[in-house]
Amino acid sequence: MKIFLDTANLESIKKFNDMGLLDGITTNPSLMSKEGGNPKNAMEEITKIIQGDVSLEVVSTEYSGMMEEGKRLREYGDNVVVKVPMTPDGLKACKSFSSQGIPVNVTLIFSANQALLAAKSGAKYVSPFIGRLDDIGQDGMNLIKEIKEIFSNYTFNTQILVASVRHPLHVIDAAKIGADVVTLPPGVLDKMLQHPLTKIGLDNFLADWEKLKQKNPDTKI
Ligand code: E4P
C-alpha cells in the first residue's frame, strides 16, 4: 500500500520523506490555508521535494475554470495530479484531463456510486473520505470495502486513495482490504511509528550499556 502525506506543511513533508516513507502528497484548499503562507511557494516546494504524485486541487466549480486551473497547476511539475471535486463539471474535467494523459484525483467521494462514476471518467485516484463518514455515524471503512469489491470486478486503472484518515486503526483496516493508497495527516503517521514497548526497550538497552561502559570505559561501538 502506498503512503501519501495529507498536508501542505513543508517541515512534515521533509521529515517523513527523509525516512523514505512517502509515495506522494495530497493537499486541498483547507490544508493550504492552514499553513498560512503563499500557496505558490508551497506548491513549488512540495513538487520539488516529492518524486511521487502530488495532488493539487482546483477551486473553480465550473468546467472551463477547472481546465484552466488544472493546466496552471501542472506547470508546477510533471508529478502534479489535478484534484477535482466529485461534481458533474469535475467529472467532465476529469474526462478531458485523462484523455490528455493528465492524471486526476477525484475528491469528496462519499458513496460507491460516486467512485464508480469517477473511475468511468478516467480518474487515476478516487478519494473516499472515511473519517467524515464516521463523523456522521456511517461506516467509512465499509465504503472502502464496497469500492474495492466493485473495482475488482472490472479493469479500471483507478486507484482507491483512502482519505480523511483519523487514526492508525484506519490504516490497518485499509491495508487489510487492500486499498491502493492511504493519505495520512502527519499526526497519524507519527502515531504509527510509535509503540510504548519500543521506547521502554530502548531506554533499558541504553541504561544497561551505560552500566557496562562504567566497567569498560574504553569500549566503543
Ligand atoms: C484528501 O485528499 C483530503 O485532503 C483529506 O483527507 C480530508 O481529510 P479531513 O476530513 O480530515 O479534512
Side-chain angles (χ1 to χ4, degrees):
M1 185 171 63
K2 282 181 264 184
I3 293 180
F4 289 3
L5 205 61
D6 195 25
T7 187
N9 183 276
L10 296 178
E11 202 182 312
S12 301
I13 291 171
K14 284 179 194 149
K15 171 180 147 183
F16 292 113
N17 192 48
D18 286 348
M19 292 182 210
L21 296 178
L22 300 187
D23 299 298
I25 297 290
T26 51
T27 65
N28 64 37
S30 303
L31 292 171
M32 289 285 179
S33 172
K34 191 175 156 194
E35 294 311 314
N38 184 338
K40 187 174 182 296
N41 298 339
M43 293 189 279
E44 270 168 9
E45 284 295 313
I46 296 169
T47 46
K48 262 189 238 146
I49 299 167
I50 295 292
Q51 304 289 307
D53 284 351
V54 176
S55 287
L56 302 177
E57 189 161 341
V58 301
V59 289
S60 183
T61 53
E62 45 79 38
Y63 170 74
S64 57
M66 287 180 189
M67 293 306 293
E68 279 168 29
E69 290 177 359
K71 280 174 195 155
R72 278 201 294 274
L73 290 172
R74 283 279 296 177
E75 287 170 13
Y76 287 102
D78 289 341
N79 55 345
V80 170
V81 175
V82 179
K83 201 172 182 192
V84 302
M86 177 60 218
T87 61
D89 284 63
L91 291 193
K92 191 174 167 189
C94 177
K95 171 74 183 158
S96 296
F97 283 128
S98 305
S99 311
Q100 297 168 38
I102 295 174
V104 178
N105 176 354
V106 178
T107 189
L108 292 166
I109 299 262
F110 292 96
S111 76
N113 275 329
Q114 289 180 319
L116 178 61
L117 297 180
K120 283 196 72 74
S121 295
K124 178 170 184 181
Y125 299 106
V126 288
S127 289
F129 278 36
I130 59 168
R132 292 193 196 184
L133 281 171
D134 290 353
D135 290 346
I136 60 159
Q138 293 184 19
D139 184 351
M141 202 52 71
N142 193 49
L143 174 59
I144 305 302
K145 280 189 204 137
E146 281 189 309
I147 299 172
K148 177 77 184 167
E149 185 182 343
I150 291 167
F151 283 11
S152 70
N153 289 337
Y154 304 101
T155 50
F156 297 123
N157 285 321
T158 305
Q159 298 178 43
I160 303 171
L161 193 168
V162 180
S164 187
V165 170
R166 299 274 198 262
H167 49 70
L169 277 179
H170 272 154
V171 183
I172 292 173
D173 288 339
K176 283 183 183 166
I177 293 166
D180 302 286
V181 190
V182 282
T183 189
L184 307 178
V188 172
L189 193 44
D190 257 327
K191 284 183 191 149
M192 286 169 65
L193 284 167
Q194 294 163 26
H195 194 286
L197 291 180
T198 304
K199 182 173 172 7
I200 292 168
L202 183 57
D203 289 348
N204 288 340
F205 285 155
L206 296 179
D208 288 341
W209 184 255
E210 272 311 306
K211 281 185 229 156
L212 192 61
K213 239 179 83 179
Q214 278 171 15
K215 289 183 213 152
N216 305 275
D218 296 334
T219 306
K220 272 190 188 157
I221 288 185

